Amino acid sequence: MSYPAIEINLSKIRENTKVITNLCKDYGIDIVGVTKVSNGSIEIAQAMIQGGIKIIGDSRLGNLKNYEDLSVKKMLVRLPMMSEVGEVVRLCHISLNSEIETIKALSIEAQKAGKIHEIILMVDVGDLREGIFDEEEIVETVKEILKLKGIRLIGLGTNLTCFGAIIPSKENLGKLVTIRDNINKEFNIDLEVISGGNSSSLCLIMNGEMPKGINQLRLGTSLLLGLIEVIWTRIPNTHVDAFKLIAEIIEVKEKPSKPIGEIAMDAFRNVPTFEDKGQMKRAICAVGRQDCEPDFMIPEDERISILGCSSDHLILDITHCHKDYEVGDKVTFILDYIGILRCMTSAHVRKIYVNQ
Ligand SMILES: *Cc1c(COP(=O)(O)O)cnc(C)c1O
């Protein structure tokens, strides 16, 4: 057995997914299961599918390629690069788009492949990441898309809380519904999908303000952690601990709490400050910033506190622990979103799947 390792509890992911898909079903909302933190793990995608997901979304084609044999629809949730449009058509049924040049290129590739590629046109309602901001440009783009062969415009989408940290509201998502209704009228079409954002949009379900018309959400964090971060709310009956990092102790020593000598910059070019707490019992685990993210993980033993982390060493204060930790012992950490991302994408972290 090699360490560090990440333990992934598939039944917790499956249960989270079931709870949230059922919650959303009551509002007429379908869920796209977003797997982008999982580095293309087929097991995690399958757990989501068993939990009721009909569309898997990912930001990277390399991950979606792993899911080729899974019999659900695939969605690329990051705008396609011009250099990958051929692969997008080959590996995905749906992509999110905001640039007509890219959509034209997708149209050419779809025709070559004899396929119809589905498009959700992204609208920026204020977060200022991807999407068309200007309403006239939205109408112009729709007009152009409708001329293209091999492409089917299935709806509009938006993304919030990722860059501008803007909270989904009945105003900003309501605007998306209004824009869709106007487009339907103007072009005499029936855009059926309104993809109303990521896990943060669940806050509108929790407070009963989800605008009518929003019928799709693209969810990652909430399915994996049962968490709506934007309002720091746990979704009832979900698990927050589906992902755990297990690291091995390589040193245990009594040392002072304040380093001795003149302070310069640490390994990450920060100038650290230390409080003198007297003698401390400290442990070092063989895991570092290339495998984990200390700000996004919590020791399962609540008496441990994380002091710091360099590329390959995680330093812990174990002074107040009841357990007498020794070299060779394992320490477990419950992982938050960025912690999961780091562990899953590090080739140095062994992946352990458990199913109970
Ligand atoms: C990452 C992402 C999601 C999922 O976000 P979560 O907050 O993890 O639910 C949805 N849509 C887009 C466009 C994304 O990039």
Side-chain angles (χ1 to χ4, degrees):
M1 287 297 165
S2 67
Y3 294 93
I6 179 171
E7 188 188 277
I8 304 138
N9 189 313
L10 295 172
S11 70
K12 288 183 179 173
I13 296 169
R14 194 161 52 233
E15 282 173 31
N16 285 357
T17 307
K18 262 189 202 145
V19 167
I20 295 168
T21 45
N22 284 335
L23 180 71
C24 291
K25 208 180 276 164
D26 294 341
Y27 291 80
I29 294 173
D30 291 328
I31 302 304
V32 177
V34 177
T35 53
K36 68 189 181 203
V37 283
S38 76
N39 200 29
S41 157
I42 296 174
E43 289 86 348
I44 292 174
Q46 275 169 335
M48 286 186 180
I49 293 166
Q50 287 158 2
I53 292 296
K54 304 277 190 307
I55 306 173
I56 289 284
D58 204 288
S59 50
R60 310 229 173 186
L61 288 178
N63 292 345
L64 287 162
K65 196 166 168 39
N66 285 3
Y67 309 146
E68 255 184 311
D69 294 334
L70 300 178
S71 59
V72 289
K73 277 189 149 183
K74 321 287 174 356
M75 173 191 278
L76 181 65
V77 302
R78 187 175 70 187
L79 308 178
M81 292 185 256
M82 280 295 251
S83 58
E84 65 182 2
V85 286
E87 284 287 279
V88 173
V89 167
R90 198 169 75 72
L91 296 170
C92 314
H93 304 83
I94 315 164
S95 59
L96 308 182
N97 284 273
S98 68
E99 290 287 353
I100 189 64
E101 288 312 314
T102 312
I103 300 168
K104 282 179 179 166
L106 286 166
S107 159
I108 291 168
E109 290 299 328
Q111 289 177 72
K112 268 197 228 161
K115 284 185 173 177
I116 302 291
H117 183 74
E118 297 181 337
I119 297 272
I120 292 178
L121 188 64
M122 292 301 275
V123 174
D124 190 334
V125 295
D127 198 54
L128 305 186
R129 200 177 77 175
E130 74 273 44
I132 306 176
F133 188 76
D134 179 67
E135 268 187 57
E136 257 171 58
E137 189 187 336
I138 298 168
V139 174
E140 276 309 303
T141 308
V142 169
K143 196 168 158 189
E144 289 297 307
I145 296 172
L146 294 176
K147 292 180 197 160
L148 298 173
K149 295 204 176 71
I151 293 288
R152 193 158 81 88
L153 180 64
I154 60 169
L156 302 183
T158 197
N159 195 64
L160 285 157
T161 342
C162 273
F163 175 73
I166 296 302
I167 301 172
S169 65
K170 56 179 193 296
E171 288 75 28
N172 54 32
L173 286 189
K175 187 171 157 196
L176 191 64
V177 179
T178 308
I179 294 171
R180 192 276 308 261
D181 292 345
N182 292 344
I183 285 173
N184 275 352
K185 237 181 262 154
E186 175 146 1
F187 296 98
N188 193 25
I189 54 176
D190 184 19
L191 297 182
E192 68 260 41
V193 178
I194 306 188
S195 192
N198 55 41
S199 294
S200 65
S201 294
L202 286 173
C203 70
L204 294 177
I205 286 189
M206 301 310 264
N207 65 17
E209 293 197 339
M210 183 62 84
K212 230 172 149 315
I214 302 293
N215 57 12
Q216 180 184 85
L217 293 178
R218 308 174 308 271
L219 306 181
T221 314
S222 51
L223 301 186
L224 301 176
L225 296 170
L227 205 64
I228 311 173
E229 286 173 317
V230 64
I231 47 170
W232 282 118
T233 300
R234 288 283 312 285
I235 300 161
N237 305 316
T238 57
H239 307 275
V240 77
D241 60 347
F243 294 84
K244 294 178 183 177
L245 170 66
I246 308 166
E248 183 170 328
I249 296 178
I250 51 173
E251 182 185 289
V252 179
K253 302 239 181 270
E254 292 268 348
K255 293 187 191 182
S257 46
K258 196 170 157 60
I260 296 92
E262 198 183 334
I263 285 192
M265 288 183 290
D266 68 11
F268 290 85
R269 301 200 179 144
N270 303 308
V271 179
T273 53
F274 295 94
E275 193 190 332
D276 191 352
K277 296 182 186 166
Q279 285 291 107
M280 215 182 226
K281 190 169 177 194
R282 299 155 75 100
I284 299 177
C285 287
V287 65
R289 293 228 183 220
Q290 49 177 330
D291 325 289
C292 71
E293 188 58 58
D295 292 339
F296 289 84
M297 54 198 240
I298 298 169
E300 217 168 33
D301 181 341
E302 288 166 4
R303 294 178 165 272
I304 296 178
S305 62
I306 298 175
L307 293 171
C309 196
S310 56
S311 309
D312 299 286
H313 299 78
L314 176 69
I315 301 114
L316 307 175
D317 177 1
I318 56 170
T319 313
H320 304 292
C321 294
H322 295 316
K323 186 177 151 79
D324 195 13
Y325 287 99
E326 292 173 12
V327 168
D329 282 349
K330 311 295 181 287
V331 182
T332 303
F333 302 86
I334 296 169
L335 296 173
D336 205 345
Y337 192 74
I338 305 295
I340 299 170
L341 174 70
R342 282 294 187 88
C343 289
M344 290 303 293
T345 52
S346 170
H348 304 283
V349 179
R350 181 166 57 97
K351 315 305 186 271
I352 308 170
Y353 292 97
V354 296
N355 223 329
Q356 84 241 320

